[in-house]
Amino acid sequence: MQTLTDVKTKFTKETYLYWYELMLLLRRFEEKSGQLYGMQKIRGFCHLYIGQEAIAAGAMTATKPGDKFITAYRDHALAIAKGISAKACMAELYGKATGCSKGKGGSMHFFSKEHGFFGGHGIVGAQIGTGAGLAFAEQYLGTDNVVLAFFGDGAARQGMLHETFNMAMLWKLPVIFICENNHYAMGTSVERTSNVLDIYKLADAYEMPADSIDGMSCEAVHEGIARAVARGREGGGPTLLEIKTYRYRGHSMSDPAKYRTKEEVEEYKQRDPLTIVEETLLKNKWATEADIEAIAERVKQEVEESVQFAEESPWPSDDELLKDVYVQQDYPFIVD
Protein backbone atom coordinates (compact mmCIF):
# COMPACT_ATOMS: atom_id res chain seq x y z
CA MET A 1 0.00 0.00 0.00
CA GLN A 2 1.30 3.46 -0.91
CA THR A 3 2.14 5.85 1.90
CA LEU A 4 1.74 9.58 1.55
CA THR A 5 5.52 9.86 1.32
CA ASP A 6 5.52 7.51 -1.67
CA VAL A 7 2.76 9.56 -3.24
CA LYS A 8 4.79 12.76 -2.99
CA THR A 9 7.70 11.29 -4.92
CA LYS A 10 5.57 9.67 -7.64
CA PHE A 11 2.83 12.15 -8.48
CA THR A 12 2.67 15.91 -8.25
CA LYS A 13 0.19 18.21 -6.59
CA GLU A 14 -1.00 19.25 -10.05
CA THR A 15 -1.75 15.65 -10.99
CA TYR A 16 -3.84 15.11 -7.88
CA LEU A 17 -5.73 18.35 -8.43
CA TYR A 18 -6.41 17.32 -12.04
CA TRP A 19 -7.62 13.88 -10.96
CA TYR A 20 -9.85 15.32 -8.28
CA GLU A 21 -11.57 17.94 -10.41
CA LEU A 22 -12.02 15.56 -13.33
CA MET A 23 -13.48 12.78 -11.16
CA LEU A 24 -15.76 15.23 -9.35
CA LEU A 25 -17.05 16.52 -12.71
CA LEU A 26 -17.69 12.96 -13.90
CA ARG A 27 -19.46 12.08 -10.63
CA ARG A 28 -21.68 15.17 -10.61
CA PHE A 29 -22.49 14.85 -14.32
CA GLU A 30 -23.59 11.26 -13.84
CA GLU A 31 -25.61 12.07 -10.73
CA LYS A 32 -27.38 14.84 -12.62
CA SER A 33 -27.97 12.49 -15.57
CA GLY A 34 -29.63 10.03 -13.21
CA GLN A 35 -31.90 12.74 -11.82
CA LEU A 36 -32.86 13.95 -15.28
CA TYR A 37 -33.58 10.41 -16.40
CA GLY A 38 -36.01 10.07 -13.51
CA MET A 39 -37.67 13.29 -14.69
CA GLN A 40 -37.93 11.79 -18.22
CA LYS A 41 -35.75 14.55 -19.66
CA ILE A 42 -33.43 11.77 -20.83
CA ARG A 43 -35.03 8.79 -22.57
CA GLY A 44 -33.90 5.35 -23.70
CA PHE A 45 -31.05 3.50 -22.04
CA CYS A 46 -28.70 5.19 -19.57
CA HIS A 47 -25.68 3.55 -17.91
CA LEU A 48 -23.85 5.52 -15.20
CA TYR A 49 -20.12 5.41 -14.40
CA ILE A 50 -20.42 6.32 -10.72
CA GLY A 51 -17.65 4.54 -8.77
CA GLN A 52 -15.43 3.85 -11.78
CA GLU A 53 -14.02 7.38 -12.20
CA ALA A 54 -10.44 6.49 -11.26
CA ILE A 55 -10.11 4.56 -14.52
CA ALA A 56 -10.93 7.62 -16.61
CA ALA A 57 -8.66 9.84 -14.52
CA GLY A 58 -5.66 7.50 -14.57
CA ALA A 59 -6.10 6.79 -18.28
CA MET A 60 -5.95 10.49 -19.11
CA THR A 61 -2.68 11.18 -17.29
CA ALA A 62 -1.09 8.06 -18.80
CA THR A 63 -1.90 8.99 -22.41
CA LYS A 64 -1.50 11.92 -24.79
CA PRO A 65 -4.14 13.81 -26.83
CA GLY A 66 -3.38 11.91 -30.06
CA ASP A 67 -4.23 8.56 -28.49
CA LYS A 68 -7.68 7.17 -29.26
CA PHE A 69 -10.34 5.86 -26.87
CA ILE A 70 -13.19 3.51 -27.76
CA THR A 71 -15.61 1.96 -25.28
CA ALA A 72 -18.98 0.32 -24.71
CA TYR A 73 -22.26 2.02 -23.82
CA ARG A 74 -21.18 3.20 -20.32
CA ASP A 75 -19.46 6.03 -22.14
CA HIS A 76 -20.36 9.44 -20.65
CA ALA A 77 -17.38 9.75 -18.31
CA LEU A 78 -14.69 8.62 -20.74
CA ALA A 79 -16.08 11.00 -23.37
CA ILE A 80 -15.90 13.98 -21.00
CA ALA A 81 -12.44 12.94 -19.81
CA LYS A 82 -11.24 12.79 -23.43
CA GLY A 83 -12.30 16.39 -23.96
CA ILE A 84 -15.91 16.41 -25.20
CA SER A 85 -17.63 19.24 -23.33
CA ALA A 86 -20.21 18.54 -20.66
CA LYS A 87 -22.59 20.70 -22.71
CA ALA A 88 -22.22 18.56 -25.85
CA CYS A 89 -22.59 15.39 -23.78
CA MET A 90 -25.71 16.56 -21.94
CA ALA A 91 -27.25 17.78 -25.19
CA GLU A 92 -26.67 14.33 -26.66
CA LEU A 93 -28.41 12.73 -23.69
CA TYR A 94 -31.37 15.01 -24.43
CA GLY A 95 -31.29 14.04 -28.10
CA LYS A 96 -30.61 17.63 -29.18
CA ALA A 97 -28.95 18.79 -32.40
CA THR A 98 -26.04 20.34 -30.45
CA GLY A 99 -25.07 16.98 -28.97
CA CYS A 100 -21.73 15.35 -29.73
CA SER A 101 -23.50 12.93 -32.11
CA LYS A 102 -26.02 15.55 -33.32
CA GLY A 103 -28.71 14.04 -31.10
CA LYS A 104 -28.73 10.82 -33.13
CA GLY A 105 -26.83 8.61 -30.72
CA GLY A 106 -28.12 9.30 -27.25
CA SER A 107 -26.53 7.93 -24.09
CA MET A 108 -24.88 4.88 -25.64
CA HIS A 109 -23.32 6.46 -28.72
CA PHE A 110 -21.19 9.47 -27.85
CA PHE A 111 -18.59 10.20 -30.55
CA SER A 112 -16.01 12.84 -31.45
CA LYS A 113 -13.35 12.35 -34.09
CA GLU A 114 -11.91 15.72 -33.08
CA HIS A 115 -11.23 14.50 -29.55
CA GLY A 116 -10.18 10.97 -30.50
CA PHE A 117 -13.24 9.42 -28.91
CA PHE A 118 -14.66 6.74 -31.20
CA GLY A 119 -17.76 5.68 -29.31
CA GLY A 120 -19.96 4.44 -27.25
CA HIS A 121 -21.01 1.08 -28.77
CA GLY A 122 -24.22 -0.77 -28.01
CA ILE A 123 -23.21 -4.18 -29.37
CA VAL A 124 -21.46 -6.00 -26.54
CA GLY A 125 -17.79 -6.53 -27.39
CA ALA A 126 -17.95 -4.98 -30.86
CA GLN A 127 -15.62 -2.15 -29.84
CA ILE A 128 -12.84 -4.67 -29.13
CA GLY A 129 -12.46 -5.44 -32.82
CA THR A 130 -13.04 -1.84 -33.88
CA GLY A 131 -10.41 -0.71 -31.38
CA ALA A 132 -7.87 -3.04 -32.96
CA GLY A 133 -8.87 -1.61 -36.34
CA LEU A 134 -8.14 1.91 -35.08
CA ALA A 135 -4.76 0.69 -33.86
CA PHE A 136 -4.05 -0.86 -37.26
CA ALA A 137 -4.77 2.54 -38.84
CA GLU A 138 -2.29 4.25 -36.50
CA GLN A 139 0.34 1.62 -37.29
CA TYR A 140 -0.33 1.92 -41.03
CA LEU A 141 -0.04 5.72 -40.90
CA GLY A 142 3.23 5.47 -39.00
CA THR A 143 2.16 7.44 -35.91
CA ASP A 144 3.21 6.62 -32.37
CA ASN A 145 -0.38 6.89 -31.12
CA VAL A 146 -1.97 4.05 -29.18
CA VAL A 147 -5.60 3.02 -28.81
CA LEU A 148 -7.33 2.23 -25.53
CA ALA A 149 -10.21 -0.19 -26.11
CA PHE A 150 -12.43 -0.41 -23.02
CA PHE A 151 -14.92 -3.22 -22.43
CA GLY A 152 -16.76 -4.76 -19.49
CA ASP A 153 -16.32 -8.14 -17.85
CA GLY A 154 -19.46 -9.38 -19.63
CA ALA A 155 -17.88 -8.68 -23.03
CA ALA A 156 -14.91 -10.87 -22.10
CA ARG A 157 -17.12 -13.85 -23.00
CA GLN A 158 -17.59 -12.67 -26.59
CA GLY A 159 -15.89 -14.48 -29.47
CA MET A 160 -14.82 -11.12 -30.90
CA LEU A 161 -12.28 -10.85 -28.08
CA HIS A 162 -10.43 -14.03 -29.06
CA GLU A 163 -10.36 -13.31 -32.77
CA THR A 164 -9.09 -9.80 -32.11
CA PHE A 165 -6.46 -10.86 -29.56
CA ASN A 166 -4.99 -13.30 -32.07
CA MET A 167 -4.76 -10.71 -34.87
CA ALA A 168 -3.53 -7.92 -32.60
CA MET A 169 -0.66 -10.08 -31.37
CA LEU A 170 0.15 -11.35 -34.85
CA TRP A 171 0.43 -7.79 -36.18
CA LYS A 172 1.77 -6.26 -32.93
CA LEU A 173 -0.89 -3.55 -32.96
CA PRO A 174 -0.53 -0.56 -30.59
CA VAL A 175 -3.73 -1.29 -28.66
CA ILE A 176 -4.36 -1.62 -24.93
CA PHE A 177 -7.38 -3.80 -24.21
CA ILE A 178 -8.88 -2.62 -20.92
CA CYS A 179 -11.43 -4.80 -19.18
CA GLU A 180 -13.29 -2.61 -16.69
CA ASN A 181 -14.25 -5.48 -14.42
CA ASN A 182 -17.05 -4.24 -12.18
CA HIS A 183 -17.81 -7.87 -11.29
CA TYR A 184 -21.42 -8.19 -12.45
CA ALA A 185 -21.71 -7.56 -16.19
CA MET A 186 -25.43 -6.72 -16.53
CA GLY A 187 -26.38 -8.41 -13.29
CA THR A 188 -24.63 -11.78 -13.16
CA SER A 189 -21.33 -12.21 -11.33
CA VAL A 190 -18.14 -13.29 -13.07
CA GLU A 191 -18.13 -16.41 -10.88
CA ARG A 192 -21.41 -17.56 -12.45
CA THR A 193 -20.42 -16.90 -16.06
CA SER A 194 -16.74 -17.75 -16.44
CA ASN A 195 -14.43 -20.58 -15.49
CA VAL A 196 -11.57 -18.06 -15.64
CA LEU A 197 -12.08 -15.65 -12.76
CA ASP A 198 -8.91 -13.63 -13.39
CA ILE A 199 -9.83 -12.17 -16.76
CA TYR A 200 -6.31 -10.92 -17.49
CA LYS A 201 -5.21 -14.56 -17.79
CA LEU A 202 -7.15 -14.82 -21.06
CA ALA A 203 -4.15 -13.10 -22.64
CA ASP A 204 -1.94 -16.11 -21.86
CA ALA A 205 -3.38 -18.09 -24.79
CA TYR A 206 -1.95 -15.47 -27.16
CA GLU A 207 1.29 -14.77 -25.26
CA MET A 208 0.02 -11.23 -24.77
CA PRO A 209 1.39 -9.19 -21.85
CA ALA A 210 -1.29 -8.70 -19.21
CA ASP A 211 -1.82 -7.35 -15.73
CA SER A 212 -4.44 -6.96 -13.01
CA ILE A 213 -4.93 -3.39 -11.77
CA ASP A 214 -6.73 -1.84 -8.77
CA GLY A 215 -9.38 0.28 -10.49
CA MET A 216 -10.21 2.18 -7.30
CA SER A 217 -6.75 3.79 -7.34
CA CYS A 218 -5.84 6.58 -9.76
CA GLU A 219 -2.17 5.85 -9.09
CA ALA A 220 -2.43 2.16 -9.93
CA VAL A 221 -4.49 2.84 -13.07
CA HIS A 222 -2.03 5.46 -14.29
CA GLU A 223 0.99 3.22 -13.71
CA GLY A 224 -0.58 0.16 -15.33
CA ILE A 225 -1.76 2.02 -18.41
CA ALA A 226 1.51 3.97 -18.70
CA ARG A 227 3.49 0.71 -18.88
CA ALA A 228 1.18 -0.67 -21.56
CA VAL A 229 1.23 2.59 -23.53
CA ALA A 230 5.03 2.67 -23.54
CA ARG A 231 5.11 -0.89 -24.87
CA GLY A 232 2.62 -0.03 -27.60
CA ARG A 233 4.47 3.11 -28.70
CA GLU A 234 7.74 1.19 -28.93
CA GLY A 235 6.28 -1.45 -31.25
CA GLY A 236 5.83 -4.08 -28.54
CA GLY A 237 2.22 -4.74 -29.45
CA PRO A 238 -0.95 -5.04 -27.37
CA THR A 239 -1.55 -5.48 -23.65
CA LEU A 240 -4.59 -6.74 -21.74
CA LEU A 241 -5.31 -4.90 -18.49
CA GLU A 242 -8.00 -6.18 -16.17
CA ILE A 243 -8.88 -3.13 -14.09
CA LYS A 244 -10.98 -4.21 -11.12
CA THR A 245 -13.52 -1.55 -10.27
CA TYR A 246 -17.06 -1.20 -8.96
CA ARG A 247 -20.19 0.67 -9.98
CA TYR A 248 -22.26 2.04 -7.13
CA ARG A 249 -25.45 2.11 -9.19
CA GLY A 250 -27.18 -0.62 -11.16
CA HIS A 251 -26.13 -1.77 -14.61
CA SER A 252 -28.55 0.77 -16.09
CA MET A 253 -31.20 3.10 -14.73
CA SER A 254 -33.76 0.28 -14.90
CA ASP A 255 -31.65 -2.08 -12.74
CA PRO A 256 -32.52 -2.26 -9.01
CA ALA A 257 -29.24 -4.18 -8.41
CA LYS A 258 -30.78 -6.73 -6.03
CA TYR A 259 -28.13 -9.31 -6.96
CA ARG A 260 -25.60 -7.81 -4.52
CA THR A 261 -25.72 -6.90 -0.85
CA LYS A 262 -25.84 -3.41 0.62
CA GLU A 263 -22.82 -4.38 2.72
CA GLU A 264 -20.78 -5.10 -0.39
CA VAL A 265 -21.66 -1.76 -1.95
CA GLU A 266 -20.79 0.08 1.28
CA GLU A 267 -17.46 -1.77 1.47
CA TYR A 268 -16.47 -0.48 -1.97
CA LYS A 269 -17.68 3.03 -1.10
CA GLN A 270 -15.04 3.02 1.65
CA ARG A 271 -12.52 2.83 -1.20
CA ASP A 272 -14.11 5.63 -3.22
CA PRO A 273 -11.28 7.11 -5.36
CA LEU A 274 -12.81 10.57 -5.12
CA THR A 275 -12.63 10.52 -1.32
CA ILE A 276 -9.13 9.06 -1.31
CA VAL A 277 -7.73 11.71 -3.67
CA GLU A 278 -9.41 14.48 -1.66
CA GLU A 279 -7.84 13.12 1.55
CA THR A 280 -4.44 12.96 -0.16
CA LEU A 281 -4.72 16.61 -1.21
CA LEU A 282 -5.69 17.73 2.28
CA LYS A 283 -3.16 15.62 4.19
CA ASN A 284 -0.30 16.78 2.02
CA LYS A 285 -1.51 20.40 2.31
CA TRP A 286 -1.77 20.58 -1.47
CA ALA A 287 -5.29 21.98 -1.08
CA THR A 288 -7.32 23.59 1.68
CA GLU A 289 -10.97 23.03 2.48
CA ALA A 290 -11.64 26.34 0.72
CA ASP A 291 -9.84 25.05 -2.39
CA ILE A 292 -11.97 21.90 -2.37
CA GLU A 293 -15.13 23.98 -2.05
CA ALA A 294 -14.03 26.18 -4.95
CA ILE A 295 -13.51 23.12 -7.16
CA ALA A 296 -16.92 21.79 -6.15
CA GLU A 297 -18.52 25.13 -7.06
CA ARG A 298 -16.80 25.19 -10.48
CA VAL A 299 -17.97 21.67 -11.21
CA LYS A 300 -21.52 22.42 -10.05
CA GLN A 301 -21.61 25.45 -12.35
CA GLU A 302 -20.31 23.43 -15.32
CA VAL A 303 -22.97 20.75 -14.86
CA GLU A 304 -25.75 23.31 -14.40
CA GLU A 305 -24.65 25.12 -17.55
CA SER A 306 -24.67 21.82 -19.46
CA VAL A 307 -28.29 21.23 -18.44
CA GLN A 308 -29.32 24.75 -19.43
CA PHE A 309 -27.54 24.33 -22.77
CA ALA A 310 -29.34 21.04 -23.42
CA GLU A 311 -32.72 22.49 -22.41
CA GLU A 312 -32.31 25.47 -24.75
CA SER A 313 -30.84 23.58 -27.72
CA PRO A 314 -33.00 22.73 -30.75
CA TRP A 315 -34.14 19.27 -31.77
CA PRO A 316 -32.52 17.80 -34.92
CA SER A 317 -34.33 18.80 -38.13
CA ASP A 318 -36.04 16.19 -40.29
CA ASP A 319 -33.45 16.56 -43.06
CA GLU A 320 -30.77 15.19 -40.70
CA LEU A 321 -32.36 11.73 -40.76
CA LEU A 322 -30.32 10.27 -43.62
CA LYS A 323 -27.16 12.34 -43.10
CA ASP A 324 -23.98 10.85 -41.64
CA VAL A 325 -24.96 7.34 -42.71
CA TYR A 326 -22.45 7.07 -45.55
CA VAL A 327 -19.30 9.08 -46.23
CA GLN A 328 -20.28 9.33 -49.91
CA GLN A 329 -22.73 12.22 -49.99
CA ASP A 330 -24.53 11.05 -53.16
CA TYR A 331 -24.71 7.37 -52.20
CA PRO A 332 -27.35 6.10 -54.67
CA PHE A 333 -29.15 3.58 -52.47
CA ILE A 334 -30.57 5.93 -49.87
CA VAL A 335 -34.31 6.19 -50.49
CA ASP A 336 -36.37 9.19 -49.44
Side-chain angles (χ1 to χ4, degrees), residues 91-160:
E92 189 59 39
L93 288 175
Y94 269 64
K96 295 298 185 71
T98 53
C100 57
S101 298
K102 299 184 180 180
K104 302 177 182 182
S107 170
M108 299 201 296
H109 303 290
F110 285 11
F111 184 91
S112 174
K113 182 179 178 182
E114 175 192 354
H115 294 96
F117 187 80
F118 287 83
H121 290 265
I123 299 174
V124 176
Q127 75 278 13
I128 299 171
T130 308
L134 290 169
F136 178 81
E138 297 295 339
Q139 185 186 72
Y140 185 81
L141 293 170
T143 76
D144 70 342
N145 296 330
V146 300
V147 176
L148 273 58
F150 298 85
F151 59 96
D153 47 286
R157 256 71 74 196
Q158 289 286 353
M160 173 63 75

Side-chain angles (χ1 to χ4, degrees), residues 25-298:
L25 173 60
L26 304 183
R27 179 71 58 90
R28 297 294 178 256
F29 183 92
E30 293 291 62
E31 289 171 346
K32 179 59 71 174
S33 298
Q35 292 173 8
L36 293 166
Y37 191 91
M39 296 165 63
Q40 296 190 337
K41 295 285 189 177
I42 296 169
R43 305 295 183 95
F45 294 103
C46 186
H47 306 80
L48 304 181
Y49 205 74
I50 295 172
Q52 300 185 200
E53 296 92 349
I55 299 178
M60 286 305 299
T61 51
T63 55
K64 65 179 185 179
D67 297 329
K68 311 297 190 292
F69 285 17
I70 187 169
T71 188
Y73 41 76
R74 198 181 304 279
D75 60 349
H76 311 162
L78 288 169
I80 292 173
K82 200 68 174 76
I84 305 177
S85 71
K87 288 181 178 179
C89 289
M90 188 62 78
E92 189 59 39
L93 288 175
Y94 269 64
K96 295 298 185 71
T98 53
C100 57
S101 298
K102 299 184 180 180
K104 302 177 182 182
S107 170
M108 299 201 296
H109 303 290
F110 285 11
F111 184 91
S112 174
K113 182 179 178 182
E114 175 192 354
H115 294 96
F117 187 80
F118 287 83
H121 290 265
I123 299 174
V124 176
Q127 75 278 13
I128 299 171
T130 308
L134 290 169
F136 178 81
E138 297 295 339
Q139 185 186 72
Y140 185 81
L141 293 170
T143 76
D144 70 342
N145 296 330
V146 300
V147 176
L148 273 58
F150 298 85
F151 59 96
D153 47 286
R157 256 71 74 196
Q158 289 286 353
M160 173 63 75
L161 177 143
H162 298 279
E163 295 179 50
T164 303
F165 279 14
N166 185 58
M167 295 177 74
M169 279 301 294
L170 193 63
W171 295 339
K172 296 296 183 286
L173 299 181
V175 55
I176 296 97
F177 299 107
I178 296 178
C179 177
E180 296 182 280
N181 182 1
N182 59 31
H183 306 290
Y184 287 101
M186 286 184 69
T188 307
S189 67
V190 174
E191 288 81 0
R192 293 182 61 196
T193 58
S194 177
N195 188 54
V196 178
L197 302 185
D198 294 314
I199 292 172
Y200 74 96
K201 291 180 180 177
L202 295 176
D204 291 348
Y206 307 94
E207 298 185 354
M208 183 190 298
D211 203 356
S212 178
I213 307 293
D214 178 6
M216 307 304 280
S217 163
C218 293
E219 299 90 344
V221 171
H222 172 100
E223 290 169 350
I225 293 178
R227 287 192 297 270
V229 163
R231 182 183 299 116
R233 293 202 207 286
E234 294 163 5
T239 301
L240 171 61
L241 298 178
E242 178 188 4
I243 303 185
K244 294 186 176 181
T245 183
Y246 202 82
R247 52 174 166 77
Y248 299 155
R249 301 289 184 89
H251 169 71
S252 69
M253 290 300 297
S254 60
D255 174 18
K258 293 182 178 179
Y259 43 81
R260 57 188 186 178
T261 65
K262 291 180 180 178
E263 290 76 18
E264 181 181 287
V265 177
E266 287 305 314
E267 181 183 340
Y268 273 94
K269 285 185 177 180
Q270 298 305 309
R271 300 170 54 199
D272 190 332
L274 195 55
T275 303
I276 291 170
V277 169
E278 180 179 328
E279 289 174 351
T280 301
L281 285 167
L282 293 171
K283 287 179 182 177
N284 282 286
K285 294 183 170 53
W286 289 337
T288 63
E289 292 286 359
D291 294 330
I292 297 297
E293 289 175 12
I295 292 170
E297 186 57 36
R298 274 202 305 275

